[in-house]
């Protein structure tokens, strides 16, 4: 059976730390969607380790790590990340069905964002969206194409011809077919030893009784179908994506662990009802070090949105929640939680499709002094305990783990 780790807010919830905490109990860790626009930061003995494409189980020598078919891969970024680790053969596997981000994807991504100006999505500009667009349009390039370079050249030539409109529309210059192919030919031999049919690999692992952990990128509120569209990512970020992005069947999923911060953040544009743009938001950002792992850009910060989290828990079928960064709220005189919305002149208790028009209705909680580095629930300040217990009631899911610092060991298990 497989368990799934999924973000329950707008991403950056701290999934990497929980995957890292759990990975030692699993034989396989599978990344099932997203690209190198995502980042997981893990702190081990005060040393920060940033992962973008490699599954978080890569830090454990016994774990086999799979980049699934639902991931889109920048080959340069992958090789750079692989270079930081030794002895990856037999520990890293790349799906032959995963799609490749080509140089023109990044050019198109940045050009589109620039042209949209005020209505820009706020992407990382790394070509993720255009790569997924080509995948859905059925003219993408997959990892398996690296095995047949002559056929790949003809495919690149066809794509390049179709992309000519970009040069005139956005005033950019696309790399030539020869330069793209020369680059791919130099990289392919370094990638191919790790390429497998990942679905077959995972089915075989299941038949042998191996334990599998699937990790997603981004968060449920950025899901292409169920998120705050159009300000979303280009893949299925909810637990259902673990199946489509790995080859596992729904019946193979045992439990779903949702990850949420004790407050809320998002990057890019789009609705964020509980955002605090003044001193409170600034304080959360500075104390929580809310700057992107991949881009370094500042995250928008605000209070916990119980309606959004409850909605995401239902979408994912969460069995439990891991609550991250409780310690960031230490020292606040009061802490707020969104428990309802004002929408079209009335109060509602659900997430509407037209999310841009909602205003938060808050419940105010007493603040607390210190939760940092606490590892037992009984040792938490009473006000922090009450906050956690009330969150459980509001979202309808048990909070099974609580992180109280960036350090690997600072986790309360309930």
């Amino acid at each position: 059976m497989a368990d799934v780790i999924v973000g329950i807010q707008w991403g950056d919830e701290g999934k990497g730390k929980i995957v890292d905490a759990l990975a030692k109990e699993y034989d396989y860790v599978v990344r099932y969607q997203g690209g190198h626009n995502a980042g997981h930061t893990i702190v081990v003995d005060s040393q920060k380790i940033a992962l973008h494409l490699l599954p978080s189980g890569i830090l454990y020598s016994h774990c086999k790590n799979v980049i699934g078919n639902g991931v889109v891969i920048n080959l340069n970024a992958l090789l750079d990340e692989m270079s930081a680790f030794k002895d990856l053969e037999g520990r890293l596997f790349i799906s032959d069905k995963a799609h490749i981000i080509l140089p023109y994807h990044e050019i198109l991504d940045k050009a589109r964002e620039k042209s949209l100006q005020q209505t820009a999505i706020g992407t990382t500009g790394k070509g993720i969206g255009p790569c997924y667009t080509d995948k859905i349009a059925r003219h993408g390039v997959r990892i398996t194409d690296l095995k047949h370079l002559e056929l790949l050249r003809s495919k690149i030539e066809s794509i390049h011809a179709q992309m000519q409109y970009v040069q005139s529309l956005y005033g950019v210059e696309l790399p030539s077919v020869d330069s793209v192919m020369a680059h791919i030919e130099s990289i392919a031999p370094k990638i191919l030893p790790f390429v497998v049919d990942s679905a077959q690999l995972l089915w075989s692992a299941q038949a042998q009784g191996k334990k599998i952990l699937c990790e997603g990128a981004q968060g449920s509120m950025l899901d292409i179908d169920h998120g705050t569209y159009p300000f979303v990512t280009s893949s299925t970020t909810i637990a259902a994506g673990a199946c489509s992005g790995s080859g596992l069947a729904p019946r193979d999923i045992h439990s779903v662990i949702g990850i949420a911060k004790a407050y809320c953040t998002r990057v890019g544009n789009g609705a964020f009802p509980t955002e605090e743009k003044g001193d409170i938001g600034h304080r959360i950002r500075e104390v929580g070090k809310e700057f992107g792992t991949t881009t370094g850009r500042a995250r928008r910060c605000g209070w916990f949105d119980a309606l959004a989290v409850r909605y995401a828990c239902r979408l994912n079928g969460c069995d439990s929640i891991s609550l991250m960064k409780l310690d960031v709220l230490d020292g606040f005189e009061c802490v707020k939680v969104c428990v309802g919305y004002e929408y079209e002149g009335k109060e509602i208790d659900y997430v509407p499709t037209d999310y841009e028009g909602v205003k938060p209705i808050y419940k105010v909680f007493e603040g607390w002094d210190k939760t940092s580095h606490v590892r037992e629930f009984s040792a938490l300040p009473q006000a922090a305990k009450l906050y956690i217990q009330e969150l459980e009631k509001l979202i309808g899911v048990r909070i099974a783990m609580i992180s109280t610092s960036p350090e690997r060991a600072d986790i309360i298990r309930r």
Side-chain angles (χ1 to χ4, degrees):
M1 298 297 283
D3 296 326
V4 179
I5 297 283
V6 62
I8 298 299
Q9 294 161 314
W10 281 273
D12 308 308
E13 299 96 346
K15 296 179 290 294
K17 178 175 178 177
I18 296 302
V19 176
D20 175 63
L22 296 177
K24 59 180 176 290
E25 303 168 15
Y26 291 83
D27 303 296
Y28 287 77
V29 178
V30 185
R31 167 77 179 276
Y32 59 82
Q33 50 78 220
H36 67 306
N37 58 335
H40 290 164
T41 300
I42 299 165
V43 180
V44 181
D45 297 329
S46 299
Q47 179 185 356
K48 281 188 178 182
I49 301 169
L51 301 174
H52 304 280
L53 285 166
L54 295 180
S56 300
I58 203 73
L59 301 178
Y60 290 94
S61 60
H62 75 279
C63 273
K64 297 185 185 300
N65 298 270
V66 181
I67 299 176
N69 57 274
V71 179
V72 291
I73 300 174
N74 178 302
L75 299 179
N76 277 344
L78 178 57
L79 285 177
D80 285 347
E81 204 165 331
M82 289 170 62
S83 68
F85 297 89
K86 297 178 180 179
D87 304 321
L88 287 178
E89 284 196 42
R91 291 211 304 127
L92 176 64
F93 303 90
I94 303 167
S95 173
D96 57 1
K97 297 183 180 72
H99 280 247
I100 298 173
I101 299 171
L102 295 170
Y104 55 76
H105 288 135
E106 187 170 333
I107 292 170
L108 179 57
D109 199 358
K110 291 176 179 177
R112 279 180 177 170
E113 281 288 278
K114 185 177 180 181
S115 71
L116 289 170
Q117 297 180 354
Q118 297 301 317
T119 58
I121 302 299
T123 75
T124 56
K126 294 183 179 294
I128 311 299
C131 184
Y132 275 116
T133 298
D134 280 359
K135 174 180 177 176
I136 299 304
R138 301 186 297 276
H139 59 238
V141 172
R142 301 191 296 175
I143 290 290
T144 191
D145 293 321
L146 297 179
K147 302 174 185 176
H148 312 287
L149 293 179
E150 284 304 314
L151 290 175
L152 177 56
R153 171 176 278 276
S154 64
K155 184 178 287 191
I156 296 290
E157 287 173 346
S158 175
I159 294 170
H160 194 270
Q162 296 175 47
M163 292 287 292
Q164 290 306 305
Y165 78 93
V166 173
Q167 297 193 140
S168 57
L169 180 62
Y170 296 117
V172 296
E173 185 174 348
L174 298 177
S176 68
V177 173
D178 285 342
S179 68
V180 172
M181 284 305 302
H183 183 60
I184 288 175
E185 288 168 6
S186 69
I187 287 180
K190 302 173 185 177
I191 298 292
L192 286 173
F194 300 94
V195 174
V196 298
D197 182 328
S198 57
Q200 293 287 346
L201 177 71
L202 294 173
W203 295 344
S204 176
Q206 283 192 309
Q208 298 170 44
K210 301 296 185 183
K211 294 187 67 178
I212 300 170
L213 183 63
C214 300
E215 66 168 335
Q218 287 93 29
S220 299
M221 297 302 288
L222 293 177
D223 183 81
I224 186 65
D225 288 296
H226 299 285
T228 50
Y229 191 89
F231 299 99
V232 293
T233 193
S234 302
S235 58
T236 301
T237 62
I238 60 175
C243 295
S244 60
S246 69
L248 295 171
R251 69 182 180 185
D252 297 326
I253 305 302
H254 175 253
S255 68
V256 178
I257 303 163
I259 315 297
K261 285 174 180 167
Y263 49 96
C264 196
T265 67
R266 80 169 292 175
V267 294
N269 298 324
F272 183 8
T274 63
E275 182 177 11
E276 288 285 339
K277 297 181 179 179
D279 292 342
I280 290 173
H282 177 75
R283 176 175 169 180
I284 292 173
R285 184 180 306 110
E286 293 302 315
V287 175
K289 296 179 173 56
E290 294 295 352
F291 301 91
T293 302
T294 301
T295 63
R297 61 180 170 174
R299 296 171 184 148
R300 300 158 64 189
C301 298
W303 298 116
F304 190 92
D305 188 332
L307 269 67
V309 171
R310 187 174 69 205
Y311 166 76
C313 285
R314 180 64 182 86
L315 279 174
N316 289 284
C318 289
D319 296 285
S320 67
I321 289 290
S322 295
L323 191 70
M324 312 303 291
K325 291 192 167 185
L326 180 66
D327 55 298
V328 173
L329 298 181
D330 287 359
F332 277 93
E333 184 177 338
C334 65
V335 175
K336 295 181 181 180
V337 174
C338 176
V339 296
Y341 297 135
E342 290 182 13
Y343 176 68
E344 295 184 343
K346 58 184 179 181
E347 293 185 11
I348 61 172
D349 62 356
Y350 61 90
V351 174
T353 300
D354 180 19
Y355 203 51
E356 292 286 341
V358 306
K359 294 182 180 180
I361 299 170
Y362 287 117
K363 182 174 181 177
V364 181
F365 293 83
E366 179 186 349
W368 52 83
D369 290 328
K370 187 178 184 299
T371 64
S372 183
H373 303 292
V374 173
R375 298 182 184 178
E376 297 290 338
F377 188 76
S378 60
L380 288 174
Q382 184 62 22
K385 292 180 191 175
L386 292 174
Y387 179 72
I388 291 162
Q389 290 164 350
E390 188 64 21
L391 291 187
E392 287 182 316
K393 294 176 185 176
L394 289 167
I395 65 178
V397 179
R398 181 175 63 93
I399 295 174
M401 290 193 286
I402 303 160
S403 174
T404 58
S405 94
E407 284 290 342
R408 173 186 268 180
D410 288 335
I411 294 177
I412 296 169
R413 297 175 184 255
R414 299 171 72 210

